PDB file of all heavy atoms in Angstrom:
ATOM      1  N   GLN E  31      -7.171   5.536   3.377  1.00 87.00           N
ATOM      2  CA  GLN E  31      -5.905   5.336   4.075  1.00 87.00           C
ATOM      3  C   GLN E  31      -4.999   6.555   3.936  1.00 87.00           C
ATOM      4  O   GLN E  31      -4.955   7.189   2.883  1.00 87.00           O
ATOM      5  CB  GLN E  31      -5.191   4.102   3.535  1.00 87.00           C
ATOM      6  CG  GLN E  31      -5.954   2.836   3.783  1.00 87.00           C
ATOM      7  CD  GLN E  31      -5.294   1.628   3.158  1.00 87.00           C
ATOM      8  OE1 GLN E  31      -4.368   1.743   2.377  1.00 87.00           O
ATOM      9  NE2 GLN E  31      -5.786   0.450   3.494  1.00 87.00           N
ATOM     10  N   GLN E  32      -4.300   6.856   4.996  1.00 84.00           N
ATOM     11  CA  GLN E  32      -3.347   7.964   5.017  1.00 84.00           C
ATOM     12  C   GLN E  32      -1.963   7.407   5.330  1.00 84.00           C
ATOM     13  O   GLN E  32      -1.783   6.745   6.344  1.00 84.00           O
ATOM     14  CB  GLN E  32      -3.737   8.992   6.092  1.00 84.00           C
ATOM     15  CG  GLN E  32      -5.070   9.644   5.866  1.00 84.00           C
ATOM     16  CD  GLN E  32      -5.081  10.517   4.631  1.00 84.00           C
ATOM     17  OE1 GLN E  32      -4.102  11.168   4.307  1.00 84.00           O
ATOM     18  NE2 GLN E  32      -6.195  10.506   3.918  1.00 84.00           N
ATOM     19  N   PRO E  33      -0.984   7.656   4.477  1.00 78.00           N
ATOM     20  CA  PRO E  33       0.363   7.148   4.771  1.00 78.00           C
ATOM     21  C   PRO E  33       0.968   7.865   5.978  1.00 78.00           C
ATOM     22  O   PRO E  33       0.722   9.057   6.190  1.00 78.00           O
ATOM     23  CB  PRO E  33       1.151   7.451   3.498  1.00 78.00           C
ATOM     24  CG  PRO E  33       0.401   8.548   2.838  1.00 78.00           C
ATOM     25  CD  PRO E  33      -1.030   8.392   3.228  1.00 78.00           C
ATOM     26  N   ARG E  34       1.714   7.135   6.763  1.00 77.00           N
ATOM     27  CA  ARG E  34       2.386   7.728   7.928  1.00 77.00           C
ATOM     28  C   ARG E  34       3.628   8.461   7.461  1.00 77.00           C
ATOM     29  O   ARG E  34       4.341   8.016   6.577  1.00 77.00           O
ATOM     30  CB  ARG E  34       2.760   6.638   8.923  1.00 77.00           C
ATOM     31  CG  ARG E  34       1.549   6.026   9.581  1.00 77.00           C
ATOM     32  CD  ARG E  34       1.903   4.934  10.529  1.00 77.00           C
ATOM     33  NE  ARG E  34       2.945   5.329  11.459  1.00 77.00           N
ATOM     34  CZ  ARG E  34       3.572   4.492  12.258  1.00 77.00           C
ATOM     35  NH1 ARG E  34       3.256   3.224  12.252  1.00 77.00           N
ATOM     36  NH2 ARG E  34       4.510   4.921  13.075  1.00 77.00           N
ATOM     37  N   ARG E  35       3.877   9.600   8.062  1.00 78.00           N
ATOM     38  CA  ARG E  35       5.068  10.366   7.739  1.00 78.00           C
ATOM     39  C   ARG E  35       6.263   9.709   8.419  1.00 78.00           C
ATOM     40  O   ARG E  35       6.171   9.241   9.544  1.00 78.00           O
ATOM     41  CB  ARG E  35       4.927  11.804   8.225  1.00 78.00           C
ATOM     42  CG  ARG E  35       3.693  12.474   7.693  1.00 78.00           C
ATOM     43  CD  ARG E  35       3.805  13.634   6.807  1.00 78.00           C
ATOM     44  NE  ARG E  35       5.059  14.307   6.709  1.00 78.00           N
ATOM     45  CZ  ARG E  35       5.498  14.794   5.556  1.00 78.00           C
ATOM     46  NH1 ARG E  35       4.795  14.647   4.477  1.00 78.00           N
ATOM     47  NH2 ARG E  35       6.631  15.440   5.510  1.00 78.00           N
ATOM     48  N   LEU E  36       7.380   9.693   7.726  1.00 72.00           N
ATOM     49  CA  LEU E  36       8.595   9.146   8.304  1.00 72.00           C
ATOM     50  C   LEU E  36       9.215  10.153   9.254  1.00 72.00           C
ATOM     51  O   LEU E  36       9.266  11.348   8.946  1.00 72.00           O
ATOM     52  CB  LEU E  36       9.605   8.819   7.198  1.00 72.00           C
ATOM     53  CG  LEU E  36       9.207   7.709   6.243  1.00 72.00           C
ATOM     54  CD1 LEU E  36      10.253   7.576   5.150  1.00 72.00           C
ATOM     55  CD2 LEU E  36       9.056   6.406   6.988  1.00 72.00           C
ATOM     56  N   PRO E  37       9.697   9.702  10.400  1.00 71.00           N
ATOM     57  CA  PRO E  37      10.372  10.644  11.304  1.00 71.00           C
ATOM     58  C   PRO E  37      11.716  11.060  10.710  1.00 71.00           C
ATOM     59  O   PRO E  37      12.525  10.220  10.321  1.00 71.00           O
ATOM     60  CB  PRO E  37      10.559   9.846  12.593  1.00 71.00           C
ATOM     61  CG  PRO E  37      10.491   8.427  12.175  1.00 71.00           C
ATOM     62  CD  PRO E  37       9.626   8.362  10.954  1.00 71.00           C
ATOM     63  N   LEU E  38      11.928  12.356  10.585  1.00 73.00           N
ATOM     64  CA  LEU E  38      13.189  12.847  10.038  1.00 73.00           C
ATOM     65  C   LEU E  38      14.196  13.162  11.135  1.00 73.00           C
ATOM     66  O   LEU E  38      15.368  13.360  10.867  1.00 73.00           O
ATOM     67  CB  LEU E  38      12.933  14.084   9.173  1.00 73.00           C
ATOM     68  CG  LEU E  38      12.055  13.826   7.946  1.00 73.00           C
ATOM     69  CD1 LEU E  38      11.822  15.115   7.184  1.00 73.00           C
ATOM     70  CD2 LEU E  38      12.675  12.776   7.059  1.00 73.00           C
ATOM     71  N   ASN E  39      13.731  13.216  12.386  1.00 77.00           N
ATOM     72  CA  ASN E  39      14.616  13.437  13.514  1.00 77.00           C
ATOM     73  C   ASN E  39      15.312  12.111  13.838  1.00 77.00           C
ATOM     74  O   ASN E  39      14.671  11.148  14.247  1.00 77.00           O
ATOM     75  CB  ASN E  39      13.818  13.943  14.714  1.00 77.00           C
ATOM     76  CG  ASN E  39      14.692  14.192  15.920  1.00 77.00           C
ATOM     77  OD1 ASN E  39      15.906  13.996  15.880  1.00 77.00           O
ATOM     78  ND2 ASN E  39      14.063  14.637  16.991  1.00 77.00           N
ATOM     79  N   LEU E  40      16.620  12.064  13.660  1.00 74.00           N
ATOM     80  CA  LEU E  40      17.344  10.810  13.853  1.00 74.00           C
ATOM     81  C   LEU E  40      17.337  10.343  15.307  1.00 74.00           C
ATOM     82  O   LEU E  40      17.506   9.169  15.581  1.00 74.00           O
ATOM     83  CB  LEU E  40      18.776  10.949  13.346  1.00 74.00           C
ATOM     84  CG  LEU E  40      18.898  11.188  11.840  1.00 74.00           C
ATOM     85  CD1 LEU E  40      20.343  11.406  11.449  1.00 74.00           C
ATOM     86  CD2 LEU E  40      18.302  10.035  11.073  1.00 74.00           C
ATOM     87  N   GLN E  41      17.123  11.256  16.268  1.00 78.00           N
ATOM     88  CA  GLN E  41      17.036  10.849  17.669  1.00 78.00           C
ATOM     89  C   GLN E  41      15.695  10.213  17.999  1.00 78.00           C
ATOM     90  O   GLN E  41      15.531   9.612  19.054  1.00 78.00           O
ATOM     91  CB  GLN E  41      17.263  12.052  18.600  1.00 78.00           C
ATOM     92  CG  GLN E  41      18.716  12.323  18.908  1.00 78.00           C
ATOM     93  CD  GLN E  41      19.430  12.988  17.750  1.00 78.00           C
ATOM     94  OE1 GLN E  41      18.846  13.796  17.053  1.00 78.00           O
ATOM     95  NE2 GLN E  41      20.690  12.655  17.550  1.00 78.00           N
ATOM     96  N   ALA E  42      14.697  10.327  17.108  1.00 76.00           N
ATOM     97  CA  ALA E  42      13.369   9.778  17.372  1.00 76.00           C
ATOM     98  C   ALA E  42      13.289   8.290  17.032  1.00 76.00           C
ATOM     99  O   ALA E  42      12.252   7.679  17.221  1.00 76.00           O
ATOM    100  CB  ALA E  42      12.322  10.539  16.563  1.00 76.00           C
ATOM    101  N   GLU E  43      14.382   7.732  16.549  1.00 76.00           N
ATOM    102  CA  GLU E  43      14.381   6.330  16.141  1.00 76.00           C
ATOM    103  C   GLU E  43      15.495   5.570  16.848  1.00 76.00           C
ATOM    104  O   GLU E  43      16.477   6.158  17.284  1.00 76.00           O
ATOM    105  CB  GLU E  43      14.617   6.213  14.637  1.00 76.00           C
ATOM    106  CG  GLU E  43      13.579   6.895  13.785  1.00 76.00           C
ATOM    107  CD  GLU E  43      13.936   6.790  12.320  1.00 76.00           C
ATOM    108  OE1 GLU E  43      15.091   7.119  11.971  1.00 76.00           O
ATOM    109  OE2 GLU E  43      13.085   6.368  11.541  1.00 76.00           O
ATOM    110  N   VAL E  44      15.323   4.281  16.936  1.00 77.00           N
ATOM    111  CA  VAL E  44      16.380   3.399  17.427  1.00 77.00           C
ATOM    112  C   VAL E  44      17.095   2.854  16.198  1.00 77.00           C
ATOM    113  O   VAL E  44      16.454   2.330  15.281  1.00 77.00           O
ATOM    114  CB  VAL E  44      15.793   2.243  18.260  1.00 77.00           C
ATOM    115  CG1 VAL E  44      16.877   1.269  18.668  1.00 77.00           C
ATOM    116  CG2 VAL E  44      15.060   2.786  19.465  1.00 77.00           C
ATOM    117  N   HIS E  45      18.412   2.988  16.170  1.00 76.00           N
ATOM    118  CA  HIS E  45      19.156   2.568  14.990  1.00 76.00           C
ATOM    119  C   HIS E  45      20.020   1.346  15.284  1.00 76.00           C
ATOM    120  O   HIS E  45      20.629   1.235  16.337  1.00 76.00           O
ATOM    121  CB  HIS E  45      20.041   3.710  14.485  1.00 76.00           C
ATOM    122  CG  HIS E  45      19.247   4.881  14.031  1.00 76.00           C
ATOM    123  ND1 HIS E  45      18.506   4.866  12.884  1.00 76.00           N
ATOM    124  CD2 HIS E  45      19.052   6.099  14.596  1.00 76.00           C
ATOM    125  CE1 HIS E  45      17.896   6.029  12.745  1.00 76.00           C
ATOM    126  NE2 HIS E  45      18.200   6.787  13.774  1.00 76.00           N
ATOM    127  N   LEU E  46      20.049   0.465  14.309  1.00 84.00           N
ATOM    128  CA  LEU E  46      20.881  -0.730  14.354  1.00 84.00           C
ATOM    129  C   LEU E  46      21.977  -0.577  13.303  1.00 84.00           C
ATOM    130  O   LEU E  46      21.867   0.262  12.409  1.00 84.00           O
ATOM    131  CB  LEU E  46      20.029  -1.967  14.050  1.00 84.00           C
ATOM    132  CG  LEU E  46      18.828  -2.180  14.971  1.00 84.00           C
ATOM    133  CD1 LEU E  46      17.982  -3.331  14.463  1.00 84.00           C
ATOM    134  CD2 LEU E  46      19.285  -2.450  16.389  1.00 84.00           C
ATOM    135  N   PRO E  47      23.003  -1.372  13.374  1.00 87.00           N
ATOM    136  CA  PRO E  47      24.043  -1.280  12.346  1.00 87.00           C
ATOM    137  C   PRO E  47      23.501  -1.460  10.918  1.00 87.00           C
ATOM    138  O   PRO E  47      24.008  -0.858   9.980  1.00 87.00           O
ATOM    139  CB  PRO E  47      25.006  -2.417  12.707  1.00 87.00           C
ATOM    140  CG  PRO E  47      24.835  -2.585  14.178  1.00 87.00           C
ATOM    141  CD  PRO E  47      23.388  -2.297  14.448  1.00 87.00           C
ATOM    142  N   SER E  48      22.451  -2.220  10.770  1.00 87.00           N
ATOM    143  CA  SER E  48      21.877  -2.419   9.433  1.00 87.00           C
ATOM    144  C   SER E  48      21.160  -1.182   8.902  1.00 87.00           C
ATOM    145  O   SER E  48      20.827  -1.115   7.724  1.00 87.00           O
ATOM    146  CB  SER E  48      20.902  -3.595   9.460  1.00 87.00           C
ATOM    147  OG  SER E  48      19.857  -3.335  10.368  1.00 87.00           O
TER     148      SER E  48
END
Side-chain angles (χ1 to χ4, degrees):
Q31 296 176 349
Q32 298 294 324
R34 291 178 50 191
R35 305 244 345 142
L36 294 176
L38 297 178
N39 180 0
L40 295 176
Q41 274 76 36
E43 300 177 310
V44 175
H45 296 289
L46 303 173
S48 60

